[in-house]
């Protein structure tokens, strides 16, 4: 953390490639970070983003986002937002290791449980998300103890949030320790998949990109992403198929081919396994939901 600060407040206005550190009373300092690619760090993170849409990666979770997204991410949990266009974000980061003095206050005990849950990533919704976003926006314009008080107000709101406002994202807890070289190599691979999933992606492409052997890549990708690269590739394709089924009237076979599936029978098996229904059932269900919300 910067001298004199217990936490870090970051912001971007057009995309996570250009991030600013927001100091007291709104002072802005350019910040070098890794928000525009897959990464992890020791600090816990609360990220409030707004975008036209994209894909959210948190540990072994891959999910579509549209509009606003608020996620609590635990220490050393890999994460990445792949936006389809411009985005805005406000991010809180802090590092309270177990020997930190803050844990001497008995009132902080519930926060330990929350941060343990955040090792799976937590999507924050409903009134909790609205309240937290408002406080995060206010933090940039104040200083000193007032700013610190707002930080603890955010943590208190999260600790007291009802269960229906907290969705666990990853299937299992993550907390990765690894070298910078491993993180950067797997980050390149994940970003490459996110950008090229509609094309024919070969394992050899990823080995050349990362500079790893086949065995090392398989082991490190499983460790960092929680699944083989082929499974992540299919998840990205299915997610994009779902978006096209909702937003277009194109035939299912055409969509499948455009999103990278070359064999329709394989596509149908993968789609049913990942969504629990057929593409036509998915389109029908989503159409009914849009009608009900109109």
């Amino acid at each position: 953390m910067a001298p004199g600060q217990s936490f870090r407040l970051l912001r971007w206005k057009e995309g996570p490639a250009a991030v600013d550190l927001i100091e007291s009373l709104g002072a802005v300092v350019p910040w070098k970070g890794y928000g525009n690619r897959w990464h992890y760090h020791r600090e816990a993170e609360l990220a409030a983003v707004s975008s036209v849409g994209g894909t959210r990666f948190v540990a072994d979770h891959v999910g579509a986002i549209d509009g606003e997204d608020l996620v609590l991410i635990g220490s050393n949990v890999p994460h990445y937002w792949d936006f389809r266009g411009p985005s805005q974000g406000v991010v809180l980061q802090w590092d309270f290791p177990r020997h930190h003095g803050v844990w001497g206050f008995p009132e902080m005990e519930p926060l330990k449980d929350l941060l343990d849950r955040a090792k799976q990533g937590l999507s924050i919704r409903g009134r909790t998300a609205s309240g937290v976003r408002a406080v995060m926006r206010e933090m940039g314009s104040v200083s000193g103890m007032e700013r610190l008080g707002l930080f603890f107000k955010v943590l208190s709101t999260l600790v007291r949030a009802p269960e229906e406002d907290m969705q666990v994202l990853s299937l299992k807890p993550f907390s990765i320790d690894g070298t910078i070289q491993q993180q950067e190599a797997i980050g390149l691979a994940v970003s490459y998949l996110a950008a090229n999933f509609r094309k024919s992606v070969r394992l050899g492409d990823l080995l050349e990109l990362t500079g790893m052997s086949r065995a090392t890549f398989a082991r490190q990708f499983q460790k960092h992403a929680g699944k083989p690269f082929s499974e992540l590739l299919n998840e990205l394709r299915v997610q994009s198929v779902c978006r096209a089924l909702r937003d277009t009237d194109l035939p299912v076979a055409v969509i499948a081919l455009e999103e990278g599936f070359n064999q329709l029978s394989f596509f149908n098996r993968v789609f049913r396994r990942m969504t629990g229904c057929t593409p036509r059932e998915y389109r029908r269900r989503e159409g009914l939901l849009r009608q009900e919300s109109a």
Side-chain angles (χ1 to χ4, degrees):
M1 297 299 145
Q5 297 188 27
S6 302
F7 58 90
R8 186 183 295 138
L9 180 64
L10 304 173
R11 180 184 67 195
W12 71 84
K13 293 187 175 180
E14 295 186 5
V19 178
D20 292 324
L21 173 68
I22 309 302
E23 298 185 326
S24 296
L25 301 177
V28 174
V29 178
W31 180 260
K32 178 175 175 55
Y34 301 94
N36 60 332
R37 56 190 172 96
W38 186 96
H39 67 291
Y40 55 91
H41 41 68
R42 195 175 70 179
E43 296 86 359
E45 175 172 305
L46 179 65
V49 304
S50 302
S51 71
V52 296
T55 302
R56 179 213 297 132
F57 299 79
V58 178
D60 63 15
H61 160 85
V62 180
I65 57 168
D66 281 301
E68 295 189 335
D69 194 37
L70 181 65
V71 178
L72 178 62
I73 302 166
S75 175
N76 288 323
V77 174
H79 55 282
Y80 168 48
W81 279 261
D82 182 57
F83 298 110
R84 297 204 308 267
S87 65
Q88 297 181 343
V90 179
V91 175
L92 276 174
Q93 294 179 343
W94 67 94
D95 181 23
F96 294 162
R98 293 302 184 183
H99 60 271
H100 195 286
V102 73
W103 301 117
F105 296 99
E107 293 85 357
M108 296 295 293
E109 195 65 27
L111 182 62
K112 291 182 181 179
D113 295 333
L114 179 68
L115 293 179
D116 282 341
R117 294 176 64 195
K119 291 177 181 178
Q120 293 178 259
L122 293 171
S123 175
I124 316 299
R125 302 177 171 188
R127 295 180 62 182
T128 301
S130 300
V132 166
R133 280 178 171 272
V135 177
M136 291 176 72
R137 287 192 294 267
E138 187 180 353
M139 291 175 68
S141 61
V142 298
S143 63
M145 292 188 67
E146 185 177 2
R147 181 175 161 114
L148 180 63
L150 292 177
F151 171 65
F152 280 107
K153 183 176 181 179
V154 166
L155 298 183
S156 176
T157 302
L158 294 175
V159 166
R160 294 182 291 105
E163 282 302 314
E164 60 265 26
D165 285 356
M166 311 284 277
Q167 180 191 11
V168 175
L169 296 177
S170 175
L171 293 176
K172 60 182 181 181
F174 269 66
S175 185
I176 295 175
D177 292 318
T179 67
I180 294 296
Q181 290 80 7
Q182 290 171 345
Q183 174 179 332
E184 291 183 348
I186 301 302
L188 285 172
V190 173
S191 298
Y192 181 87
L193 291 174
N196 296 282
F197 65 85
R198 292 183 177 90
K199 303 176 183 178
S200 176
V201 178
R202 300 174 305 157
L203 175 59
D205 299 329
L206 300 176
L207 298 181
E208 182 178 353
L209 181 69
T210 60
M212 292 180 173
S213 68
R214 180 187 296 261
T216 298
F217 177 81
R219 182 174 65 253
Q220 292 300 329
F221 199 95
Q222 179 74 41
K223 173 185 175 182
H224 288 74
K227 61 191 70 175
F229 93 90
S230 57
E231 184 175 342
L232 177 58
L233 178 62
N234 286 331
E235 287 186 4
L236 290 167
R237 288 171 172 170
V238 167
Q239 179 197 112
S240 196
V241 167
C242 289
R243 184 181 294 117
L245 289 172
R246 293 193 305 267
D247 298 343
T248 76
D249 295 323
L250 289 172
V252 171
V254 172
I255 292 174
L257 288 172
E258 288 185 347
E259 300 303 334
F261 287 102
N262 296 322
Q263 295 182 348
L264 198 57
S265 59
F266 175 73
F267 159 70
N268 284 322
R269 290 198 304 273
V270 171
F271 190 94
R272 179 183 283 275
R273 175 168 60 84
M274 292 187 176
T275 66
C277 62
T278 68
R280 289 180 176 81
E281 290 169 345
Y282 180 88
R283 173 174 268 170
R284 190 180 309 117
R285 183 182 67 197
E286 291 298 313
L288 291 174
L289 289 175
R290 283 201 299 271
Q291 293 175 17
E292 292 174 357
S293 61

